Amino acid sequence: MKYDAIVIGAGPGGYVAGIRLGQFKRKVLVVEKKYIGGVCLNVGCIPTKALIHSAHLLSKIKNAKRTMGLKINDDISYDIETLRKWKDKAVNKLTKGVEFLWKSNGVEWIKGFAKILNENSVEVIKEDGESKIFETENIIIATGSYPAIIPGFEPDGKYIWTSDDAVSLPFIPSKLIILGAGAIGLEFAYIYKNLGSDVEVYELMPQILPGIDKEMADELEKILKKEGIKIYTNAKAKELIKENGKIKMKVEVQNKEQIAEGNVLLLAVGRKPYTAGLNLENINVEIDNRGFIKVDKKRRTNIKNIFAIGDVAGMPLLAHKASREGIVAAEVISGVENEYSPLAVPAVVYTIPELLTVGFSEEEAIQRNLKIKIGKFPFSANGKAVASDEIYGFVKIIVNEENDEIVGIHILGPEASSMAGEASLAVEKRIKAEDLGKCIHPHPTLSEAIMEAAENVHKRAIHIVNK
Ligand code: FAD
C-alpha cells in the first residue's frame, strides 16, 4: 500500500496540506507525534488570543465602569480555573474541527514520531514503542519549531518558563520578567499585566519588535509603558540566579549593569526549526546555517519528492505562511501549477492596541532605494474609534513615489488585525494610493482610517489637517 504523500506534522502547515491533498483525491497520511493543530492551535496563536481576549475584556470593563458610567456592583475580577477551561475549550473546538475536516476529505492520520528512512519510506514509532514503515511517492516535512534557549537560562517549568509554560497559565506571578520583546514576549506581557502581574520586558536590540517599522514599534512601546509594562531595550541578559523562590537576573541595560528581580522569567527569545530525529543528515536533505530546511519556490527540498513547509522551512514563522506553503506543496504534488512567491505576508502583534504590518517598513523601503511618500491617519480622528473609546495609534501607508503604488501598510490601533485583509490585498496587488483613497469605506468604521491615510499620501485626507 503506497501513499501519494505522507505529511509529517499536523500544524497549520501540515494539516492544511493534508486537506488540500484530500480535496485532490490523493491518498494521504498525516503523522503527528503530539497534537493535531501543532503549536498554533494548541500552545500558540489560538490559546494566546483566547487569553488576550479575556484580558482585554477585563480591562475594557474596568475602564467602562470608570468612564462610561456602566454600573457593575462587584469588583471586576476573574477565576483562573474557569479562564483556563475557556481557553482549552477554544483549542479543543478547533482541533476537533481539523480531525473532522480530514475525515471528510479522506485524509488518514496516525499518532507517532516519523523518521524518514529514504525518499520513499517513513517509519512511524508509536507511543507504545511499536513501529511501522509506510511507503510513499512524496513526503512533506512540516515539523515546525521550538523555543530557543539561552545557555544559563534553561527552562525548568517553575521559575523559568517558555511560551508553552506561560500559555498553560500555571499561576499569576506577582513579578514576571520577560526576555525578548518580539510578538510572543509582548503578547504575554499584555496578558499577565492585565491578569495582575508586574511585568518587566528586556530586549537585546535597540527597539522592540526588531525588524518592524521603527516609528510603529516606538509608538507601541510608549503605549505599553503607559499601561504600566516596564520595557528596556539595548538590554543584554548576563546571568540568572535562582534563590528562595525568586530569580535574580543580571542584565546590562544601555551598557550599565542592573539586577532584575522577579518570581518567574519567561524566555521569549525566538524559535528554532524542529528537525530532531527526522534523519535528514542521512538522507542528505540540505539545511541552511540556522538549521532551516532549504526549499525552492515550489517548496521542494534538494530531493525532488521531499517538500518542506512552515516554520521548519524558514522565516517568517507565522501560521498563515505555513498554510499557504502547505497548499502550494499539496498542489504541486497533485500536478497543479503553483509556487510560493507572495509580495505581502502580513504579521500581527496582538497586544492592545494591535499592530499590523504588511509589506516594506519605511527603513526597508529606503534601504531598497525606493523614493517614497508616506500617508498617515490617527485613530483619534476616526469616528468609530472615538465612539468606542479606543483612540490610540494610527495608520501609516508607504507608497512608491514613482508610480503611486502601495508598498507597505502598518496599522497600530484598535482591531488592526481585522483590517489586515484589506492591507494585504493593497500591498499584494500593488494598488495605487489614489485608488485606495477613492474606494468608499462605510461610516463609521475603523477601516475609514486606511482610506484617509491613503488620501493623506496626496494631502487630501478630510478629517485631519494634512501635513
Ligand atoms: P507547528 O505548528 O509547530 O506544527 C508542527 C507539528 O509537527 C507539531 O505538532 C509537532 O508535534 C509535529 N512534529 C514535529 N516533529 C515530528 C515528527 N518527527 N513526527 C511527527 N510529528 C512531528 N503565528 C501566527 O501567524 N499568528 C499568531 O497569532 C501566532 N501566535 C503565536 C503565539 C505563540 C505563543 C507561539 C509559540 C507561536 C505563535 N505563532 C503565531 C506562530 C505559529 O504558531 C507557527 O508559525 C505555526 O504553528 C507554524 O506551523 P507549522 O505547521 O510549521 O508547525
Side-chain angles (χ1 to χ4, degrees):
M1 192 172 64
K2 200 166 189 175
Y3 287 94
D4 292 318
I6 291 182
V7 181
I8 305 174
Y15 89 69
V16 167
I19 292 173
R20 182 51 58 94
L21 284 158
Q23 288 169 339
F24 280 108
K25 306 283 178 247
R26 302 290 126 170
K27 188 168 172 51
V28 52
L29 175 70
V30 180
V31 188
E32 169 54 53
K33 71 179 167 70
K34 195 169 178 189
Y35 32 36
I36 294 177
V39 167
C40 178
L41 269 61
N42 293 279
V43 290
C45 329
I46 298 303
T48 50
K49 267 79 255 181
L51 293 176
I52 286 172
H53 180 71
S54 313
H56 184 40
L57 263 182
L58 193 65
S59 120
K60 272 205 94 154
I61 296 170
K62 280 183 190 163
N63 276 346
K65 192 175 174 183
R66 197 165 37 82
T67 58
M68 295 174 196
L70 295 198
K71 285 203 171 155
I72 300 146
N73 293 330
D74 292 333
D75 269 351
I76 316 293
S77 178
Y78 65 93
D79 172 56
I80 192 164
E81 184 61 27
T82 316
L83 186 55
R84 256 185 234 124
K85 279 192 191 143
W86 128 256
K87 179 232 350 158
D88 293 342
K89 206 170 141 193
V91 169
N92 286 338
K93 183 169 171 47
L94 292 170
T95 53
K96 286 268 165 336
V98 171
E99 215 174 340
F100 166 77
L101 289 170
W102 278 346
K103 208 170 164 197
S104 313
N105 284 288
V107 177
E108 294 173 42
W109 87 277
I110 181 169
K111 188 161 185 194
F113 188 92
K115 176 179 172 189
I116 306 174
L117 299 179
N118 58 52
E119 64 255 53
N120 292 112
S121 47
V122 173
E123 180 183 11
V124 178
I125 304 133
K126 294 210 228 156
E127 258 168 355
D128 60 9
E130 191 200 326
S131 101
K132 217 172 160 187
I133 294 172
F134 296 90
E135 300 301 318
T136 181
E137 293 288 344
N138 298 281
I139 296 169
I140 300 179
I141 304 170
T143 47
S145 63
Y146 66 97
I149 305 301
I150 304 179
F153 293 73
E154 286 78 10
D156 57 13
K158 201 172 159 200
Y159 298 108
I160 308 177
W161 291 355
T162 65
S163 61
D164 290 1
D165 302 307
V167 81
S168 70
L169 219 58
F171 64 100
I172 307 299
S174 52
K175 176 96 177 278
L176 175 66
I177 298 175
I178 300 180
L179 218 48
I184 294 176
L186 292 181
E187 289 181 13
F188 280 113
Y190 178 82
I191 293 168
Y192 277 89
K193 173 73 195 161
N194 280 284
L195 295 182
S197 296
D198 256 353
V199 178
E200 282 179 13
V201 184
Y202 292 85
E203 167 58 50
L204 181 67
M205 302 304 280
Q207 71 167 69
I208 65 164
L209 300 168
I212 280 185
D213 190 283
K214 185 168 181 338
E215 186 182 13
M216 308 305 290
D218 286 352
E219 185 64 21
L220 177 60
E221 182 179 339
K222 257 191 241 157
I223 296 172
L224 294 178
K225 279 181 168 168
K226 235 167 121 183
E227 294 291 313
I229 296 172
K230 294 191 185 79
I231 299 176
Y232 301 91
T233 49
N234 282 313
K236 190 170 169 44
K238 304 282 254 189
E239 196 187 340
L240 192 71
I241 304 150
K242 296 184 210 170
E243 200 173 78
N244 306 327
K246 286 220 163 176
I247 48 157
K248 280 188 180 175
M249 178 176 76
K250 260 191 210 160
V251 56
E252 209 175 87
V253 181
Q254 320 274 5
N255 297 324
K256 271 195 203 136
E257 199 162 282
Q258 62 187 58
I259 304 278
E261 283 187 54
N263 309 87
V264 171
L265 178 120
L266 165 61
L267 261 187
V269 290
R271 295 180 66 83
K272 293 194 154 182
Y274 189 85
T275 52
L278 277 175
N279 196 31
L280 297 186
E281 49 297 348
N282 291 321
I283 51 167
N284 296 320
V285 168
E286 284 177 8
I287 54 173
D288 70 15
N289 55 5
R290 297 170 69 190
F292 292 109
I293 298 177
K294 287 189 190 173
V295 285
D296 66 12
K297 284 186 175 172
K298 298 199 179 296
R299 305 290 100 167
R300 283 188 207 277
T301 65
N302 57 311
I303 298 176
K304 206 169 172 273
N305 68 329
I306 301 184
F307 296 73
I309 58 170
D311 284 7
V312 80
M315 307 291 268
L317 308 188
L318 291 167
H320 40 283
K321 175 256 189 189
S323 298
R324 177 54 50 191
E325 290 180 315
I327 287 172
V328 168
E331 293 195 352
V332 170
I333 288 171
S334 308
V336 177
E337 203 42 54
N338 203 347
E339 61 177 39
Y340 180 83
S341 49
L343 288 176
V345 183
V348 179
V349 184
Y350 291 84
T351 44
I352 306 297
E354 293 178 340
L355 173 50
L356 159 78
T357 162
V358 52
F360 297 154
S361 63
E362 185 176 343
E363 295 79 25
E364 197 181 348
I366 291 168
Q367 228 174 46
R368 287 171 182 258
N369 292 323
L370 283 184
K371 272 187 88 184
I372 54 170
K373 267 184 153 177
I374 290 178
K376 289 186 198 167
F377 191 83
F379 283 100
S380 56
N382 171 274
K384 182 71 187 298
V386 173
S388 322
D389 193 23
E390 295 194 294
I391 49 170
Y392 31 62
F394 58 96
V395 177
K396 174 173 177 180
I397 295 189
I398 301 170
V399 165
N400 181 346
E401 199 178 338
E402 278 171 17
N403 51 19
D404 199 38
E405 284 176 5
I406 295 173
V407 295
I409 299 188
H410 309 276
I411 305 177
L412 176 70
E415 295 172 45
S417 57
S418 54
M419 292 176 268
E422 176 178 3
S424 201
L425 186 67
V427 175
E428 183 67 39
K429 295 296 167 201
R430 290 288 186 253
I431 293 196
K432 293 185 192 304
E434 173 90 26
D435 293 330
L436 184 55
K438 273 184 193 160
C439 177
I440 298 178
H441 286 59
H443 178 74
T445 58
L446 297 166
S447 71
E448 286 172 286
I450 299 183
M451 173 184 73
E452 296 246 39
E455 289 270 69
N456 179 245
V457 171
H458 304 295
K459 311 296 167 219
R460 294 197 294 254
I462 295 295
H463 293 96
I464 49 167
V465 178
N466 292 275
K467 282 188 207 140

